[in-house]
Amino acid sequence: NNKYRIVSILGSGGFGNTYLAEQVSLGRKVAIKEFYMKEFCERDECTSKVIIPTEGSKQIVDKYRQKFLKEAQVIASLKNEHIIQIHDIFEENNTAYYVMEYVNGGSLKEKVDCEGPLNESDAIDYISQVGNALSYLHSNNILHLDVKPANILLDKDNRAIRIDFGISKHYDEVGGQTSTTPTGISKGYAPLEQYKQDAITQFNPTTDVYSLGASLYFLLTGKNPPDATDVYEEGLPAIQATITDITCQAIISAMQPRRKDRPQTISDFINMINVGREKAKKDIANEVTSIRTEKVVSNEETVILNNEHSFNSATINSEQSSKKIKTEANEETVVLNTEKNSSKVEIDKSSNDGSPVLEEKKPKSKLGLLLGIIALIAVAIIFVLPKKSEVVTVEKEPTLAQINTK
């Protein structure tokens, strides 16, 4: 009817195709779900109309097409922030369509495939949001029956949005089935009871509890949960040690093979994992505190080391300053001594230009002085004593009178 322009195909399943489209009148992006049973339908390539080859197939397709339209009307009546909103429903090309809000944040499966397993707190937060939507559905006597990370989208505000109600079932007030949707199976996420023919005829929330627990297992491990038959025979593989015991036990409890051994409502399961989330938050807070404490201690050690370094530097500087002071003092002493010695300097002669030439008198040693004295005495003895001898001798020679007398 030219109200919508197809842009691209977003996905395809056994009961239909989903397209990205533009609502022409409002210029906004929307997602359009087309009813198309691959097992029974064909498409005319020229007109894009859906063709049902046989009369028997036509009856089956018509039956489920009416159911598709009814489900769209029910979903459109649901008002929950974590359930996809339906804007329009119409029939065209010999099939049926409904128009939904376009959520472009990708699925939780894509997030884990791209980024790896989520931390415990974030994973539980997403599962709690999905649990909110499931509790709302259960209050309206609807079982989703296809809960898995690929069917949980993230919007621009990082909210989990529940989509794909293709195999959901409606029940009356006493729990009896009122819809004839064929049972679907997503391996790893569907419990044993969904494998049975004409299963889930009575309303029982524990089937969605199993799938929600399996979804949490995937978010925390990055691995698809084992098939329900493997869980029944071998139990659930161990979850990594970084996950709190409370959360691990909640997952094990939700994925019990027997329905009576599981939490009986979504709220029971959410309460269990919320305890695990609080413990995980405390563990993270304690870890952060520990890291900060270690950092503070490390900083204190650094300060101490820096203080010691500063002290050592100060000591060295002090010693260097002391040495410098002593050196300066010694230099001053030398200068004083030099000035003192310079007082002993006498002017010996003048230089050619008339300026006095200073000559330092070398102090005489005591030994030199003593040797000088001895030398003087020796000289005196040599020159003085003989003269005295001669005088005495002369005095003893007889006089001329004495000679004559004789």
Side-chain angles (χ1 to χ4, degrees), residues 329-342:
N330 290 338
E331 288 177 353
E332 291 177 358
T333 303
V334 171
V335 171
L336 290 174
N337 288 338
T338 302
E339 291 176 353
K340 184 177 181 181
N341 289 336
S342 67

Side-chain angles (χ1 to χ4, degrees), residues 25-58:
S25 61
L26 296 177
R28 67 174 177 181
K29 291 181 178 180
V30 293
I32 299 179
K33 181 73 174 284
E34 176 188 46
F35 174 73
Y36 185 86
M37 296 182 72
K38 289 183 178 180
E39 187 178 352
F40 304 104
C41 298
E42 297 177 1
R43 192 184 301 276
D44 187 319
E45 294 182 1
C46 295
T47 63
S48 296
K49 288 186 176 182
V50 175
I51 300 171
I52 299 110
T54 66
E55 190 65 27
S57 297
K58 184 177 180 181

Side-chain angles (χ1 to χ4, degrees), residues 232-260:
Y232 175 75
E233 294 175 358
E234 302 174 10
L236 194 66
I239 303 174
Q240 57 260 43
T242 55
I243 307 303
T244 62
D245 291 339
I246 297 173
T247 298
C248 290
Q249 288 301 316
I251 294 172
I252 292 171
S253 178
M255 296 182 69
Q256 286 296 309
R258 298 192 303 178
R259 283 181 277 191
K260 67 178 184 179

Side-chain angles (χ1 to χ4, degrees), residues 190-213:
L192 282 175
E193 61 265 23
Q194 282 188 252
Y195 285 76
K196 297 177 182 179
Q197 189 68 25
D198 297 325
I200 323 297
T201 57
Q202 294 294 315
F203 179 77
N204 193 324
T206 60
T207 301
D208 281 344
V209 168
Y210 183 101
S211 301
L212 193 60

Side-chain angles (χ1 to χ4, degrees), residues 204-356:
N204 193 324
T206 60
T207 301
D208 281 344
V209 168
Y210 183 101
S211 301
L212 193 60
S215 296
L216 180 56
Y217 176 92
F218 174 80
L219 297 186
L220 293 173
T221 65
K223 300 176 182 178
N224 286 321
D227 189 74
T229 55
D230 294 330
V231 175
Y232 175 75
E233 294 175 358
E234 302 174 10
L236 194 66
I239 303 174
Q240 57 260 43
T242 55
I243 307 303
T244 62
D245 291 339
I246 297 173
T247 298
C248 290
Q249 288 301 316
I251 294 172
I252 292 171
S253 178
M255 296 182 69
Q256 286 296 309
R258 298 192 303 178
R259 283 181 277 191
K260 67 178 184 179
D261 294 331
R262 303 172 199 159
Q264 294 301 293
T265 67
I266 292 293
S267 296
D268 291 341
F269 176 67
I270 296 302
N271 289 338
M272 293 175 68
I273 61 175
N274 278 338
V275 173
R277 174 168 56 179
E278 292 305 314
K279 187 175 186 305
K281 285 182 177 179
K282 288 181 180 179
D283 290 344
I284 292 173
N286 291 336
E287 184 177 350
V288 171
T289 302
S290 177
I291 291 172
R292 287 177 178 172
T293 301
E294 290 176 1
K295 188 175 181 181
V296 169
V297 171
S298 176
N299 289 338
E300 288 178 351
E301 291 175 352
T302 302
V303 170
I304 291 172
L305 289 174
N306 287 337
N307 286 341
E308 290 178 353
H309 176 71
S310 300
F311 176 77
N312 291 336
S313 298
T315 302
I316 292 171
N317 292 334
S318 177
E319 291 176 353
Q320 290 176 346
S321 300
S322 177
K323 289 179 180 179
K324 184 176 180 181
I325 292 170
K326 288 180 180 179
T327 301
E328 292 175 352
N330 290 338
E331 288 177 353
E332 291 177 358
T333 303
V334 171
V335 171
L336 290 174
N337 288 338
T338 302
E339 291 176 353
K340 184 177 181 181
N341 289 336
S342 67
S343 64
K344 298 179 181 179
V345 176
E346 61 182 6
I347 300 175
D348 183 51
K349 57 183 178 180
S350 299
S351 61
N352 293 333
D353 60 359
S355 60

